[in-house]
Amino acid sequence: ELNATDFGNLEAEMQATEYERLRTFEDGYWWYVAQRNNLIGEIAQLKLRPEARVLDVGCGTGRNLIELVRALRVTGFGVDVSPHAAALWNGVPEVHRCLASLNDLPYAEGRFEVVSSVDVRDIFIQEEPIEEIVRRIYTGPSVLEFGK
């Protein structure tokens, strides 16, 4: 019989396994590639200046952000609440990441030209996080993309 502590440990282990699986598939599996290409295409239409600041909320492994930085020569910032995701982040100088909650983003207002969020909406418990994201958007163009 499982108690609450056992369940928490199993949940953490499953999250770690899921992030490892995501890292394995996201480079080649058609769904992840198409989703990433769509995101890059939408943001490319905004014709951002080089080095524009883009925030990816719920960046997970950071792969979308890395490819966005490479394709559009922007400066990427990623935030995710999961230490399992953070364990998979690699050192790309143009990509800055931190562990933080959507409810308590560690950035000053007006810092970003674009804020993106892919496949994160289904984890929102209430609408306040969306308002927090919107508050962080710079006065320039913006894209909010929510999957699921």
Side-chain angles (χ1 to χ4, degrees), residues 91-112:
V92 176
E94 302 83 11
V95 178
H96 312 278
R97 299 182 198 92
C98 72
L99 282 171
S101 167
L102 296 172
N103 292 307
D104 190 25
L105 294 173
Y107 301 111
E109 289 190 38
R111 174 102 190 246
F112 302 101

Side-chain angles (χ1 to χ4, degrees), residues 39 54-60 62-66 68 76-80 96 102 105 107 112 114-118 120 145:
L39 176 67
V54 176
L55 174 64
D56 184 3
V57 177
C59 68
R63 189 65 182 167
N64 287 343
L65 192 56
I66 291 168
L68 183 68
F77 291 81
V79 62
D80 203 290
H96 312 278
L102 296 172
L105 294 173
Y107 301 111
F112 302 101
V114 175
V115 175
S116 69
S117 185
V118 178
V120 176
E145 181 172 310

Side-chain angles (χ1 to χ4, degrees), residues 11-86:
E11 183 178 31
E13 186 177 319
M14 288 186 330
Q15 280 186 340
T17 303
E18 186 62 28
Y19 279 109
E20 287 289 341
R21 186 177 312 136
L22 175 60
R23 185 65 161 173
T24 301
F25 287 107
E26 66 187 346
D27 287 337
Y29 187 66
W30 71 270
W31 171 257
Y32 298 112
V33 173
Q35 186 179 52
R36 183 169 42 253
N37 289 340
N38 287 339
L39 176 67
I40 292 169
E42 287 293 317
I43 294 175
Q45 290 180 30
L46 299 173
K47 300 189 184 324
L48 298 172
R49 64 179 172 75
E51 306 303 318
R53 294 171 310 265
V54 176
L55 174 64
D56 184 3
V57 177
C59 68
T61 67
R63 189 65 182 167
N64 287 343
L65 192 56
I66 291 168
E67 294 304 321
L68 183 68
V69 164
R70 289 178 178 162
L72 303 180
R73 296 186 357 243
V74 296
T75 300
F77 291 81
V79 62
D80 203 290
V81 72
S82 172
H84 303 296

